[in-house]
Amino acid sequence: MSSSFVTGRKFREGVNDLMKRDTSFPLDLKEELEEILGKDEPPVLSFRTARKLQNHLQNNGYSVYLHQLLEDSTIYLPPVEKPPRNPQLVARLERIKAKLANEEYMRITRNVNTQEINRHGAMADFGRQVRSVKAIVVTVFNFLVTVVATFACSYMGSQYVFTETAARVISAVIAASVVGLAELYVLVRTMEGELGEP
């Protein structure tokens, strides 16, 4: 709250002139005003001293009024000093901030699946994909082993029927092709069944 004026040039000149002309100036008021006007920085006039000066001017019938002297003066507003913060209040505010930040984090991340390993799916999807790839690899390996075994059996078994090597190879290729096509048909039907198609 303000309790003083920052005096301007008009006040300084008017008060100096009054103190020179008036010999009946109270000594304590004169000393206060001289001390105020003797400062290098902008002189600050307290309300109490201003009231004393106004009373002196009114009681002695001066034609100069205080408000005229203070025309170019301003009210002095002291800097506001913030009181120290209560440590208990600061600690409570920090707890509240942490709680609100945690609630905000939970709100933002409530639809995030922690099982996700990347943008392609979750761990369960990854396991299902691994099992699917494993099944395909086993099926292809089984297909190749069946065709090769059929070729080998047909080639070895045809030695009792055919004496020439070319005839044995042709008969083994035909047998392996028939078994390979049958395996392929069964494989396609199985894949369609896994995909849910009739």
Side-chain angles (χ1 to χ4, degrees):
M1 186 172 168
S2 178
S3 62
S4 55
F5 295 102
V6 177
T7 57
R9 183 182 53 83
K10 191 170 186 179
F11 177 81
R12 289 191 296 269
E13 290 174 357
V15 169
N16 278 332
D17 187 43
L18 282 173
M19 285 192 299
K20 286 177 188 172
R21 285 189 294 149
D22 185 10
T23 56
S24 66
F25 236 78
L27 188 60
D28 60 335
L29 179 59
K30 189 172 185 176
E31 287 174 359
E32 284 181 38
L33 290 172
E34 284 175 351
E35 183 183 339
I36 291 169
L37 298 175
K39 294 179 180 174
D40 290 336
E41 68 261 6
V44 177
L45 175 70
S46 68
F47 288 175
R48 186 179 52 79
T49 309
R51 276 190 220 100
K52 283 184 188 178
L53 181 60
Q54 180 186 14
N55 289 337
H56 177 70
L57 294 175
Q58 283 178 347
N59 294 339
N60 293 325
Y62 284 101
S63 60
V64 177
Y65 295 100
L66 182 64
H67 73 274
Q68 292 171 336
L69 293 173
L70 294 173
E71 276 181 2
D72 60 345
S73 300
T74 57
I75 293 178
Y76 175 72
L77 297 172
V80 177
E81 294 181 15
K82 292 184 179 178
R85 296 185 77 180
N86 185 345
Q88 293 172 341
L89 177 64
V90 171
R92 184 173 179 205
L93 287 175
E94 291 300 322
R95 283 195 307 272
I96 291 171
K97 283 181 187 177
K99 181 181 175 187
L100 290 175
N102 191 29
E103 287 175 1
E104 179 71 11
Y105 175 78
M106 296 306 273
R107 186 184 63 79
I108 290 172
T109 59
R110 71 173 170 248
N111 61 351
V112 176
N113 186 358
T114 57
Q115 293 291 321
E116 282 196 22
I117 56 169
N118 58 18
R119 60 187 173 95
H120 298 295
M123 289 294 281
D125 294 338
F126 181 71
R128 193 168 34 252
Q129 290 170 359
V130 167
R131 284 191 297 276
S132 176
V133 169
K134 182 180 173 186
I136 289 172
V137 168
V138 168
T139 304
V140 169
F141 181 73
N142 187 25
F143 175 78
L144 291 175
V145 167
T146 304
V147 170
V148 169
T150 303
F151 179 83
C153 287
S154 297
Y155 182 77
M156 297 301 280
S158 64
Q159 73 179 345
Y160 299 109
V161 179
F162 302 110
T163 56
E164 294 181 7
T165 307
R168 288 172 60 192
V169 169
I170 290 174
S171 68
V173 166
I174 290 172
S177 298
V178 169
V179 169
L181 288 174
E183 279 282 332
L184 197 59
Y185 175 76
V186 170
L187 180 66
V188 168
R189 292 300 290 179
T190 305
M191 292 295 239
E192 283 180 354
E194 285 178 5
L195 295 174
E197 298 173 5

PDB file of all heavy atoms in Angstrom, residues 121-135:
ATOM      1  N   GLY A 121       1.657 -55.914 -34.429  1.00  0.00           N
ATOM      2  CA  GLY A 121       0.806 -56.752 -33.606  1.00  0.00           C
ATOM      3  C   GLY A 121       1.396 -57.013 -32.250  1.00  0.00           C
ATOM      4  O   GLY A 121       2.444 -56.519 -31.888  1.00  0.00           O
ATOM      5  N   ALA A 122       0.678 -57.849 -31.481  1.00  0.00           N
ATOM      6  CA  ALA A 122       1.074 -58.137 -30.104  1.00  0.00           C
ATOM      7  C   ALA A 122       1.890 -59.431 -30.065  1.00  0.00           C
ATOM      8  O   ALA A 122       2.093 -60.103 -31.071  1.00  0.00           O
ATOM      9  CB  ALA A 122      -0.163 -58.256 -29.227  1.00  0.00           C
ATOM     10  N   MET A 123       2.365 -59.774 -28.871  1.00  0.00           N
ATOM     11  CA  MET A 123       3.152 -60.992 -28.687  1.00  0.00           C
ATOM     12  C   MET A 123       2.340 -62.230 -29.054  1.00  0.00           C
ATOM     13  O   MET A 123       2.875 -63.187 -29.599  1.00  0.00           O
ATOM     14  CB  MET A 123       3.619 -61.085 -27.234  1.00  0.00           C
ATOM     15  CG  MET A 123       4.685 -60.089 -26.868  1.00  0.00           C
ATOM     16  SD  MET A 123       6.221 -60.369 -27.725  1.00  0.00           S
ATOM     17  CE  MET A 123       6.892 -61.703 -26.759  1.00  0.00           C
ATOM     18  N   ALA A 124       1.048 -62.198 -28.745  1.00  0.00           N
ATOM     19  CA  ALA A 124       0.204 -63.349 -29.090  1.00  0.00           C
ATOM     20  C   ALA A 124       0.144 -63.518 -30.605  1.00  0.00           C
ATOM     21  O   ALA A 124       0.219 -64.644 -31.116  1.00  0.00           O
ATOM     22  CB  ALA A 124      -1.198 -63.161 -28.518  1.00  0.00           C
ATOM     23  N   ASP A 125       0.033 -62.410 -31.336  1.00  0.00           N
ATOM     24  CA  ASP A 125       0.037 -62.478 -32.798  1.00  0.00           C
ATOM     25  C   ASP A 125       1.374 -62.989 -33.298  1.00  0.00           C
ATOM     26  O   ASP A 125       1.439 -63.768 -34.250  1.00  0.00           O
ATOM     27  CB  ASP A 125      -0.241 -61.107 -33.405  1.00  0.00           C
ATOM     28  CG  ASP A 125      -1.639 -60.607 -33.099  1.00  0.00           C
ATOM     29  OD1 ASP A 125      -2.506 -61.450 -32.804  1.00  0.00           O
ATOM     30  OD2 ASP A 125      -1.854 -59.380 -33.144  1.00  0.00           O
ATOM     31  N   PHE A 126       2.451 -62.562 -32.657  1.00  0.00           N
ATOM     32  CA  PHE A 126       3.781 -63.001 -33.060  1.00  0.00           C
ATOM     33  C   PHE A 126       3.927 -64.507 -32.867  1.00  0.00           C
ATOM     34  O   PHE A 126       4.432 -65.223 -33.746  1.00  0.00           O
ATOM     35  CB  PHE A 126       4.841 -62.247 -32.248  1.00  0.00           C
ATOM     36  CG  PHE A 126       6.255 -62.607 -32.607  1.00  0.00           C
ATOM     37  CD1 PHE A 126       6.799 -62.219 -33.816  1.00  0.00           C
ATOM     38  CD2 PHE A 126       7.029 -63.343 -31.728  1.00  0.00           C
ATOM     39  CE1 PHE A 126       8.090 -62.554 -34.149  1.00  0.00           C
ATOM     40  CE2 PHE A 126       8.325 -63.678 -32.055  1.00  0.00           C
ATOM     41  CZ  PHE A 126       8.869 -63.286 -33.265  1.00  0.00           C
ATOM     42  N   GLY A 127       3.466 -65.028 -31.748  1.00  0.00           N
ATOM     43  CA  GLY A 127       3.518 -66.471 -31.498  1.00  0.00           C
ATOM     44  C   GLY A 127       2.681 -67.239 -32.497  1.00  0.00           C
ATOM     45  O   GLY A 127       3.092 -68.301 -32.994  1.00  0.00           O
ATOM     46  N   ARG A 128       1.510 -66.716 -32.822  1.00  0.00           N
ATOM     47  CA  ARG A 128       0.646 -67.369 -33.804  1.00  0.00           C
ATOM     48  C   ARG A 128       1.309 -67.389 -35.177  1.00  0.00           C
ATOM     49  O   ARG A 128       1.254 -68.394 -35.896  1.00  0.00           O
ATOM     50  CB  ARG A 128      -0.698 -66.635 -33.847  1.00  0.00           C
ATOM     51  CG  ARG A 128      -1.760 -67.381 -34.582  1.00  0.00           C
ATOM     52  CD  ARG A 128      -3.180 -66.848 -34.413  1.00  0.00           C
ATOM     53  NE  ARG A 128      -3.301 -65.417 -34.279  1.00  0.00           N
ATOM     54  CZ  ARG A 128      -3.606 -64.784 -33.138  1.00  0.00           C
ATOM     55  NH1 ARG A 128      -3.796 -65.486 -32.048  1.00  0.00           N
ATOM     56  NH2 ARG A 128      -3.711 -63.481 -33.097  1.00  0.00           N
ATOM     57  N   GLN A 129       1.986 -66.281 -35.521  1.00  0.00           N
ATOM     58  CA  GLN A 129       2.681 -66.223 -36.809  1.00  0.00           C
ATOM     59  C   GLN A 129       3.847 -67.210 -36.846  1.00  0.00           C
ATOM     60  O   GLN A 129       4.084 -67.868 -37.861  1.00  0.00           O
ATOM     61  CB  GLN A 129       3.176 -64.803 -37.068  1.00  0.00           C
ATOM     62  CG  GLN A 129       2.059 -63.818 -37.357  1.00  0.00           C
ATOM     63  CD  GLN A 129       2.544 -62.373 -37.368  1.00  0.00           C
ATOM     64  OE1 GLN A 129       3.701 -62.109 -37.138  1.00  0.00           O
ATOM     65  NE2 GLN A 129       1.628 -61.455 -37.639  1.00  0.00           N
ATOM     66  N   VAL A 130       4.571 -67.328 -35.729  1.00  0.00           N
ATOM     67  CA  VAL A 130       5.685 -68.281 -35.679  1.00  0.00           C
ATOM     68  C   VAL A 130       5.161 -69.714 -35.839  1.00  0.00           C
ATOM     69  O   VAL A 130       5.739 -70.521 -36.583  1.00  0.00           O
ATOM     70  CB  VAL A 130       6.479 -68.122 -34.365  1.00  0.00           C
ATOM     71  CG1 VAL A 130       7.427 -69.290 -34.153  1.00  0.00           C
ATOM     72  CG2 VAL A 130       7.253 -66.817 -34.378  1.00  0.00           C
ATOM     73  N   ARG A 131       4.063 -70.026 -35.159  1.00  0.00           N
ATOM     74  CA  ARG A 131       3.486 -71.369 -35.286  1.00  0.00           C
ATOM     75  C   ARG A 131       3.017 -71.621 -36.712  1.00  0.00           C
ATOM     76  O   ARG A 131       3.176 -72.720 -37.245  1.00  0.00           O
ATOM     77  CB  ARG A 131       2.325 -71.528 -34.302  1.00  0.00           C
ATOM     78  CG  ARG A 131       2.771 -71.742 -32.867  1.00  0.00           C
ATOM     79  CD  ARG A 131       1.625 -72.167 -31.965  1.00  0.00           C
ATOM     80  NE  ARG A 131       0.577 -71.166 -31.843  1.00  0.00           N
ATOM     81  CZ  ARG A 131       0.602 -70.145 -31.000  1.00  0.00           C
ATOM     82  NH1 ARG A 131       1.642 -69.984 -30.189  1.00  0.00           N
ATOM     83  NH2 ARG A 131      -0.383 -69.287 -30.958  1.00  0.00           N
ATOM     84  N   SER A 132       2.436 -70.607 -37.348  1.00  0.00           N
ATOM     85  CA  SER A 132       1.964 -70.748 -38.717  1.00  0.00           C
ATOM     86  C   SER A 132       3.128 -70.983 -39.676  1.00  0.00           C
ATOM     87  O   SER A 132       3.067 -71.863 -40.547  1.00  0.00           O
ATOM     88  CB  SER A 132       1.191 -69.495 -39.123  1.00  0.00           C
ATOM     89  OG  SER A 132       0.796 -69.566 -40.460  1.00  0.00           O
ATOM     90  N   VAL A 133       4.214 -70.224 -39.503  1.00  0.00           N
ATOM     91  CA  VAL A 133       5.392 -70.409 -40.357  1.00  0.00           C
ATOM     92  C   VAL A 133       6.004 -71.781 -40.121  1.00  0.00           C
ATOM     93  O   VAL A 133       6.414 -72.473 -41.067  1.00  0.00           O
ATOM     94  CB  VAL A 133       6.421 -69.280 -40.096  1.00  0.00           C
ATOM     95  CG1 VAL A 133       7.750 -69.588 -40.747  1.00  0.00           C
ATOM     96  CG2 VAL A 133       5.890 -67.951 -40.595  1.00  0.00           C
ATOM     97  N   LYS A 134       6.044 -72.196 -38.858  1.00  0.00           N
ATOM     98  CA  LYS A 134       6.586 -73.509 -38.519  1.00  0.00           C
ATOM     99  C   LYS A 134       5.760 -74.606 -39.192  1.00  0.00           C
ATOM    100  O   LYS A 134       6.314 -75.573 -39.742  1.00  0.00           O
ATOM    101  CB  LYS A 134       6.590 -73.685 -37.004  1.00  0.00           C
ATOM    102  CG  LYS A 134       7.166 -74.988 -36.538  1.00  0.00           C
ATOM    103  CD  LYS A 134       7.133 -75.073 -35.021  1.00  0.00           C
ATOM    104  CE  LYS A 134       7.559 -76.445 -34.543  1.00  0.00           C
ATOM    105  NZ  LYS A 134       7.401 -76.582 -33.095  1.00  0.00           N
ATOM    106  N   ALA A 135       4.440 -74.463 -39.150  1.00  0.00           N
ATOM    107  CA  ALA A 135       3.566 -75.460 -39.785  1.00  0.00           C
ATOM    108  C   ALA A 135       3.796 -75.501 -41.292  1.00  0.00           C
ATOM    109  O   ALA A 135       3.827 -76.591 -41.893  1.00  0.00           O
ATOM    110  CB  ALA A 135       2.108 -75.141 -39.474  1.00  0.00           C
TER     111      ALA A 135
END
